[in-house]
Amino acid sequence: MPADELAVETGSQMPMTPSDFTWVSQLVRQKSAIVLEAEKTYLVEARLAPLARTEGFASLGAMLTKMRSSPANGLHHKVVEAMTTNETSFFRDLYPFDALWKVVIPELLAEHAASRQLNIWCAAASSGQEPYTIAMVLREHFPELATWSVQFLATDLSRQMLVRAREGRFGQLEVNRGLPAPMLLKYFEKKGMEWQVRSELREMIEFREWNLIEPWRPLPLMDIVFLRNVLIYFDVETKRSILAKMVRVLRPGGFLFLGGAETTINLGDDFERLPFERSGCYRLKRTGGT
């Protein structure tokens, strides 16, 4: 039996009622803009039943009954976090990182040779594999950046994921997914049953909680933004809103990386897709932004 189905069977004494599902889906949409279709009831049960046990409730239904009669609190935030998808790996899909080191960074190095300033934002950091992959690319291929001012921000909605990301600790299965062995030995230290990213890499990145659908705090103009595999969970209007905000925080000519199944087509005219194979790389038009 799949793990999620087992969690439902053992963690919830009865199936979630349609009323409970509607309430959870509305909460998640309000707080994160993630759209939960009715056929995802099994997924909601699978993810929330363990949380109900951890929080000391006899069943998932009991937890939701309590939440529905209570003001928004930390438990509400935990439910929203539980429904976010945190699938990630080192060098995921590979092609975006090839484009990054072969084309994007070299172009930015030439463009910003006078200011020696580079700003990068990983806007859906999850447990940290993507920002640490970017950091390894910078260290491996661009030693000259050691003398530059590099501001590297990594954000996520999930506080739990950010704790993991800041610690930079990963299990053997996680480092086996996409991480070349030479880079594992070069940039990680063995800590018991886990591998921890070396401090010089962790110190490159500022991890910060950030909800993309809430008002954005001031940011420096970004040269590169990774927003991969995020827009697919939102409705069209939310996608348009987030991309409009991206126009304001990217430098004209800045680079935006989206997931392979994502696009800016019909969501605005400010970006042009670049012909880097399967990279999901877009560029803010020079006439766009502020």
Side-chain angles (χ1 to χ4, degrees):
M1 178 181 295
D4 275 0
E5 292 180 17
L6 181 61
V8 173
E9 182 173 292
T10 59
S12 183
Q13 295 176 358
M14 62 183 65
M16 174 180 283
T17 67
S19 175
D20 278 343
F21 176 81
T22 298
W23 185 84
V24 170
S25 63
Q26 289 174 345
L27 172 69
V28 171
R29 186 161 188 165
Q30 177 187 9
K31 298 298 185 182
S32 71
I34 294 172
V35 178
L36 296 175
E37 305 293 348
E39 61 268 21
K40 296 293 185 181
T41 300
Y42 77 94
L43 180 64
V44 175
E45 292 177 325
R47 294 202 179 166
L48 297 188
L51 177 62
R53 291 197 301 271
T54 300
E55 295 294 321
F57 290 93
S59 67
L60 173 55
M63 182 180 77
L64 294 178
T65 298
K66 174 67 175 177
M67 292 177 65
R68 293 175 69 170
S69 63
S70 303
N73 53 39
L75 183 55
H76 291 67
H77 187 90
K78 289 178 182 178
V79 166
V80 175
E81 282 198 15
M83 293 314 305
T84 60
T85 299
N86 294 298
E87 170 63 23
T88 185
S89 61
F90 292 101
F91 291 92
R92 185 179 182 184
D93 304 324
L94 193 58
Y95 294 96
F97 305 101
D98 279 348
L100 185 67
W101 79 266
K102 292 178 180 178
V103 180
V104 171
I105 297 292
E107 184 169 329
L108 290 171
L109 288 178
E111 185 173 336
H112 298 323
S115 66
R116 303 170 75 82
Q117 171 76 41
L118 185 67
N119 296 330
I120 303 170
W121 182 17
C122 181
S126 188
S127 47
Q129 285 92 323
E130 184 168 87
Y132 286 126
T133 296
I134 297 169
M136 284 185 279
V137 169
L138 299 183
R139 282 296 180 96
E140 276 293 295
H141 301 288
F142 306 102
E144 61 268 42
L145 285 176
T147 62
W148 282 45
S149 174
V150 179
Q151 184 163 348
F152 190 165
L153 177 66
T155 64
D156 201 86
L157 167 71
S158 172
R159 296 168 188 168
Q160 182 180 7
M161 288 296 106
L162 287 169
V163 169
R164 285 202 60 207
R166 288 189 188 100
E167 292 178 348
R169 286 179 174 265
F170 302 95
Q172 191 66 51
L173 289 176
E174 290 174 308
V175 298
N176 285 347
R177 291 188 65 196
L179 183 62
M183 286 194 176
L184 173 63
L185 297 176
K186 185 174 183 178
Y187 294 110
F188 292 72
E189 298 176 294
K190 194 77 164 69
K191 296 291 182 71
M193 300 298 291
E194 296 179 311
W195 292 86
Q196 185 171 32
V197 178
R198 293 185 183 274
S199 59
E200 58 265 28
L201 223 60
R202 284 185 278 123
E203 291 166 3
M204 291 175 61
I205 306 169
E206 177 192 357
F207 288 97
R208 191 189 303 176
E209 184 179 342
W210 193 287
N211 189 332
L212 291 169
I213 70 164
E214 293 180 353
W216 290 14
R217 289 155 280 174
L219 285 172
L221 285 177
M222 293 291 165
D223 299 295
I224 302 167
V225 175
F226 273 67
L227 185 69
R228 302 179 64 225
N229 305 303
V230 178
L231 296 182
I232 54 175
Y233 297 105
F234 300 145
D235 61 28
V236 170
E237 288 309 310
T238 302
K239 293 175 184 179
R240 287 197 179 115
S241 173
I242 290 173
L243 288 175
K245 293 176 183 178
M246 282 297 173
V247 170
R248 297 194 290 270
V249 303
L250 268 169
R251 294 186 196 276
F255 297 89
L256 173 67
F257 285 87
L258 300 180
E262 297 169 326
T263 181
T264 65
I265 295 174
N266 297 324
L267 298 174
D269 299 322
D270 298 291
F271 294 93
E272 57 182 343
R273 186 172 184 127
L274 299 181
F276 307 146
E277 182 186 8
R278 297 169 63 183
S279 68
C281 185
Y282 294 78
R283 189 163 202 175
L284 181 62
K285 296 175 182 177
R286 295 285 178 177
T287 55
T290 57

